[in-house]
C-alpha cells in the first residue's frame, strides 16, 4: 500500500486492521465498504485501490474499533462482501507502513511488447542499486506498454558512473528491451535495461 513517512498520529504500536476486498469491479463497492466500516467509528489510515482486467483489489488500513467490536466488524464486513459477490480478508496488525527509504525515484519502463523477462531485468537492476519497489502503475497500453515503478531507497554509489540525477541522457534501446528512466527530484536520467 502507499504511504509516506509514518505519521506521529499512527505510532507503530497502535492496533490497526488491514481490510482487503477483491472481486469483479462495479460502481458502489468503495462506498459500500466504507459505509459498513463507518458503523464502527474507525479512522482511515491508508487506502489503495487497483483494477486489472475488470477485477478490483481494494485495501483499507483502519484503526481498531472500540474494545469488543472487532469480531462484529469482521463478521459484518464478510457478510457485506458476500452480498456483493466479493471476497474479504481482514488482517490484524500494528501501526502503518514502515517509513520508506530515502532516494525516491520514478522508473518508467516502455516495451513493445513488455515481456516478463524484461520486467524481471528492470526489477533486478532496481534491487542491485539498493532500491525497493513501492508501487507499480500502468501509464499506457498503446502503441507501447508503459509502466511506472515508484522506487525508494536507491543508493547512488551503486549506480553506473554515467548516472546523473540532474541531466537527461539520450540512449538507444533494442526493441526487445525497455528503456528505463529514473526520475530524481532534481531531474531525470535514463539507461538501457539489458540481460546479463
Amino acid at each position: 500500500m502507499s504511504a509516506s513517512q509514518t505519521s506521529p498520529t499512527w505510532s507503530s504500536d497502535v492496533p490497526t486492521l488491514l481490510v482487503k476486498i477483491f472481486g469483479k469491479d462495479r460502481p458502489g463497492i468503495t462506498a459500500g465498504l466504507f459505509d459498513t466500516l463507518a458503523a464502527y467509528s474507525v479512522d482511515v489510515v491508508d487506502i489503495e485501490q487497483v483494477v486489472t482486467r475488470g477485477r478490483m483489489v481494494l485495501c483499507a488500513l483502519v484503526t481498531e474499533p472500540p474494545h469488543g467490536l472487532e469480531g462484529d466488524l469482521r463478521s459484518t464486513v464478510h457478510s457485506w462482501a458476500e452480498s456483493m459477490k466479493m471476497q474479504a480478508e481482514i488482517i490484524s496488525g500494528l501501526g502503518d507502513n514502515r517509513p520508506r527509504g530515502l532516494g525516491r525515484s520514478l522508473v518508467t519502463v516502455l516495451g513493445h511488447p513488455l515481456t516478463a523477462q524484461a520486467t524481471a531485468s528492470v526489477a533486478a537492476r532496481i534491487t542491485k542499486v539498493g532500491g525497493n519497489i513501492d508501487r507499480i502503475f500502468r501509464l499506457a497500453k498503446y502503441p507501447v506498454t508503459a509502466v511506472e515503478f515508484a522506487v525508494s531507497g536507491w543508493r547512488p554509489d551503486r549506480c553506473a558512473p554515467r548516472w546523473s540525477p540532474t541531466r537527461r541522457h539520450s540512449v538507444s534501446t533494442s526493441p526487445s528491451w525497455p528503456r528505463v528512466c529514473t526520475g530524481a527530484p532534481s531531474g531525470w536520467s535514463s539507461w538501457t535495461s539489458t540481460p546479463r
Side-chain angles (χ1 to χ4, degrees), residues 2 6 71 81 89 102 105 119-120 132 138 147 149 152 154:
S2 67
T6 303
E89 181 181 10
L102 300 178
S105 299
T119 305
N132 181 70
R138 185 174 71 176
V147 295
F149 295 78
S152 63
W154 64 268

Side-chain angles (χ1 to χ4, degrees), residues 163-183:
W163 192 91
S164 169
T166 59
R167 299 187 317 181
R168 180 161 187 164
H169 302 274
S170 177
V171 296
S172 60
T173 58
S174 164
S176 300
W177 294 92
R179 171 177 293 187
V180 183
C181 304
T182 304

Side-chain angles (χ1 to χ4, degrees), residues 110-192:
L110 308 176
H112 182 64
L114 178 59
T115 66
Q117 184 180 8
T119 305
S121 178
V122 171
R125 182 74 64 91
I126 291 169
T127 300
K128 188 175 181 179
V129 298
N132 181 70
I133 300 171
D134 298 319
R135 299 179 70 187
I136 304 174
F137 308 85
R138 185 174 71 176
L139 302 177
K141 61 181 179 180
Y142 182 82
V144 297
T145 300
V147 295
E148 183 175 86
F149 295 78
V151 177
S152 63
W154 64 268
R155 292 177 50 183
D157 59 302
R158 293 187 181 180
C159 293
R162 66 175 177 167
W163 192 91
S164 169
T166 59
R167 299 187 317 181
R168 180 161 187 164
H169 302 274
S170 177
V171 296
S172 60
T173 58
S174 164
S176 300
W177 294 92
R179 171 177 293 187
V180 183
C181 304
T182 304
S186 55
W188 292 87
S189 68
S190 61
W191 71 82
T192 304

